[in-house]
């Protein structure tokens, strides 16, 4: 670990910490969603009302509540209100099928569900599948169709809040390392895991990344395409802005380029957070706003490596940098990052001060500069464990180190370059091939919109590289463009790295956070769609 970190008291409640920090900003805008504005003073009162409402419902400290909520002002209130009361919020994707909610209900043993009206049918179905009935609180107005469900026993969010707020010093006397909230992994490799985080973890991501790397200020208006239920989105739209008194723009609907463009032009946020696939989609849109129509000073990318070409083109168009970084659900936010005064497109940057990283070989030994190794992280925001997953916990959380599952290489200048997931790395003709390296080469061709490279064994059991490609113009003759792309990759990389087969598809399979699900491509047949 490097350098001394600021001190943190042993008894620490993150929600109380945030409300205290902003006690002098009562009139300042904290949140703006599709329908309402919320000042810091209103946020303070509503957080304490929500905490009081949970107590009135009999929810005890350390019990879990499931938050199946779209991004609106109710979600930060519910998340912080639960922390204030010592209750453990578990925010999850509001667009999942009922089977996922049934798993999460049983796995978390949630005692209460707070759901946006749009997710109410799936939540009801999930309870039937899980054979568990727990109280439901509905956030937002319901439609006539949703009212046909049995909602008579469900509380409305405002009804839960219709109580006297807890006093300012009425927060739960929690330990800094106490279980505070869960986040489910996005499932890029299969079944999601419940990563358990502490009150302190939120604090450290703001102190080590949000403030020094992003240099967020009170005057900033931030906007994240990644939703609050993701580790990335939670830091972007809650932890970081609230830690400096900034304002946050929330959007309930699914992030599309057009929906984002509308808000970039109307509200003119200064900081925008996205994922690489979304920056690709924005660049491909004919409606991408001109630089003079927006007010961005900084963009951030995470979730997957940002292709060099995409970073350069987007930055040139909007007139500000994209800081590419690497974070994870297990580490809560970004620990490896570019920064404004030290940025290299095509690389993930350098370790965030306060975190240490190591690249190790299969025997656990450090790898030389320039060679690919497994990435391990050490830092104060690491999750405690995966809930009810002892073996997976032991494999990932190794003493003070966290095994990321990513492969990287570091160059002589100290920049870390992504080389794929550990289970995505390919060994072709006895040599490692990074799928990301091949993908970056393909992305340099003007005909390619998106792509993903995986390995599949041939009839002799030998690993061959296969590229799944989404074309800018799907009407182009596939035979012609396949030969052209293969030849193009050979001009960029060593000959053995070119994809032996190229399959053209209309869309890549992705998680809700925009990560490409390469395991689904590996499991699929060899024909495009």
């Amino acid at each position: 670990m490097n350098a001394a970190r600021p001190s943190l008291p042993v008894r620490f409640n993150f929600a109380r910490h945030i409300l205290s920090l902003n006690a002098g900003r009562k009139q300042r805008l904290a949140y703006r969603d599709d329908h309402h504005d919320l000042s810091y003073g209103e946020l303070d009162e509503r957080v304490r009302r929500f905490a009081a409402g949970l107590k009135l419902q009999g929810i005890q400290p350390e019990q879990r509540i499931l938050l199946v909520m779209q991004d609106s002002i109710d979600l930060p209130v519910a998340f912080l209100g639960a922390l204030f009361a010592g209750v453990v919020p578990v925010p999850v994707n509001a667009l999942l099928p009922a089977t996922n909610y049934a798993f999460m209900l049983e796995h978390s043993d949630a005692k209460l569900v707070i759901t946006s009206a749009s997710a109410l049918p799936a939540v009801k179905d999930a309870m039937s599948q899980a054979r568990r009935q727990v109280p439901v609180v509905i956030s937002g107005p319901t439609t006539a169709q949703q009212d046909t469900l049995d909602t008579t026993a469900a509380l409305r969010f405002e009804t839960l809040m219709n109580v006297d707020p807890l006093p300012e010093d009425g927060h739960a006397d929690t330990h800094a390392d106490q279980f505070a909230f869960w986040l489910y992994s996005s499932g890029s490799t299969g079944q999601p895991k419940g990563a358990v985080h502490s009150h302190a973890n939120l604090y450290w991501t703001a102190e080590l990344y949000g403030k020094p790397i992003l240099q967020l200020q009170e005057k900033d208006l931030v906007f994240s395409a990644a939703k609050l239920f993701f580790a990335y989105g939670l830091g972007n739209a809650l932890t970081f802005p609230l830690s400096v008194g900034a304002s946050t723009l929330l959007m309930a609907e699914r992030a599309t380029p057009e929906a984002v463009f509308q808000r970039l032009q109307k509200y003119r946020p200064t900081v925008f957070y996205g994922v690489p696939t979304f920056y690709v989609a924005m660049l491909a849109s004919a409606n991408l706003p001109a630089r003079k129509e927006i007010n961005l000073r900084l963009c951030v990318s995470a979730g997957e490596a940002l292709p060099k070409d995409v970073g350069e083109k987007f930055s040139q168009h909007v007139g500000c940098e994209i800081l590419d970084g690497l974070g994870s659900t297990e580490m809560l936010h970004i620990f490896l990052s570019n920064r404004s005064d030290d940025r290299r497109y095509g690389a993930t940057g350098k370790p965030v001060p306060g975190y240490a990283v190591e690249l190790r070989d299969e025997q656990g030994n450090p790898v030389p500069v320039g060679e690919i190794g497994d990435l391990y992280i050490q830092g104060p925001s690491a999750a405690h464990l995966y809930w009810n997953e002892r073996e997976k916990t032991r494999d990932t959380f190794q003493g003070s180190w966290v095994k990321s599952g990513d492969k990287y290489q570091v160059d002589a200048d100290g920049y870390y370059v992504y080389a794929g997931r550990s289970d995505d790395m390919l060994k072709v003709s006895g040599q490692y091939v990074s799928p990301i390296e091949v993908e970056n080469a393909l992305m340099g061709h003007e005909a390619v919109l998106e792509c993903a490279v995986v390995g599949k064994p041939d009839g002799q059991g030998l690993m061959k590289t296969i590229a799944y490609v989404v074309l800018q113009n799907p009407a182009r003759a596939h035979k012609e463009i396949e030969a052209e792309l293969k030849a193009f990759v050979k001009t960029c990389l060593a000959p053995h790295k070119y994809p032996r087969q190229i399959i053209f598809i209309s869309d890549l399979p992705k998680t809700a956070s925009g990560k490409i699900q390469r395991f689904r491509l590996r499991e699929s047949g060899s024909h495009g769609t």
Side-chain angles (χ1 to χ4, degrees), residues 28 33 68-69 89 92 110 126 206-207 209 250 358 374 390 472 478 498:
R28 178 163 179 76
D33 69 11
V68 190
M69 305 176 70
V92 300
E207 293 300 314
Y209 177 78
L250 298 177
E358 287 186 0
D374 292 305
R390 188 173 187 177
Q472 295 273 8
H478 288 187
Y498 85 94

Side-chain angles (χ1 to χ4, degrees), residues 31 35 57 79 153 209 222 244 271 308 339 478 514:
Y31 284 100
H35 305 289
Q57 294 301 311
F79 184 85
Y209 177 78
V222 306
V244 299
V271 179
K308 180 176 184 290
R339 55 211 73 187
H478 288 187

Side-chain angles (χ1 to χ4, degrees), residues 456 468 501 503-505 524-529:
K456 290 187 180 182
Y468 289 81
Q501 183 180 7
I503 299 173
F504 298 98
I505 56 178
S524 70
S526 59
H527 299 288
T529 56

Side-chain angles (χ1 to χ4, degrees), residues 260-277:
V260 167
F261 295 158
Q262 178 186 3
R263 288 161 176 83
L264 290 178
Q265 292 172 292
K266 180 177 180 180
Y267 298 110
R268 300 178 65 82
T270 55
V271 179
F272 176 74
Y273 306 85
V275 296
T277 53

Side-chain angles (χ1 to χ4, degrees), residues 14 49 73 111 125 183 219 340 369 392 395 411-412 415 429 446 476 479 488 506:
F14 183 76
R49 283 187 184 277
I73 61 173
K111 304 303 182 186
D125 190 7
L183 292 173
K219 64 183 180 181
S340 294
V369 170
K392 290 179 180 178
D395 182 58
D411 64 20
Y415 291 95
S429 301
E446 62 181 5
R476 289 195 63 176
K479 289 288 185 183
F488 178 78
S506 57

Side-chain angles (χ1 to χ4, degrees), residues 237-385:
L238 189 146
T239 313
F240 302 159
L242 296 186
S243 293
V244 299
S247 303
T248 302
L249 180 63
L250 298 177
M251 179 176 68
E253 66 184 285
R254 184 175 67 88
T256 63
E258 285 65 33
V260 167
F261 295 158
Q262 178 186 3
R263 288 161 176 83
L264 290 178
Q265 292 172 292
K266 180 177 180 180
Y267 298 110
R268 300 178 65 82
T270 55
V271 179
F272 176 74
Y273 306 85
V275 296
T277 53
F278 197 76
Y279 285 111
V280 169
M282 292 170 77
L283 279 171
S285 173
N287 298 320
L288 181 64
R291 182 184 304 186
K292 64 182 179 181
E293 297 177 287
I294 57 180
N295 189 39
L296 292 173
R297 71 165 183 83
L298 182 68
C299 291
V300 182
S301 180
E304 291 189 278
L306 180 72
K308 180 176 184 290
D309 183 58
V310 174
E312 290 175 344
K313 286 182 178 178
F314 193 88
S315 176
Q316 183 178 17
H317 182 88
V318 301
C320 72
E321 295 169 317
I322 304 179
L323 300 187
D324 187 24
L326 175 69
S328 67
T329 303
E330 291 77 9
M331 293 303 297
L332 190 54
H333 214 276
I334 290 173
F335 51 82
L336 190 64
S337 181
N338 284 276
R339 55 211 73 187
S340 294
D341 59 352
D342 190 6
R343 187 263 306 144
R344 180 180 292 179
Y345 286 126
T348 311
K350 299 176 181 179
V352 171
Y355 294 90
V357 301
E358 287 186 0
L359 299 183
R360 304 176 185 175
D361 62 20
E362 294 178 359
Q363 288 71 46
N365 302 312
V367 301
V369 170
E371 291 193 11
I372 293 172
D374 292 305
L375 180 69
Y376 288 75
I377 317 102
Q378 188 183 67
S381 63
H384 288 301
L385 48 83

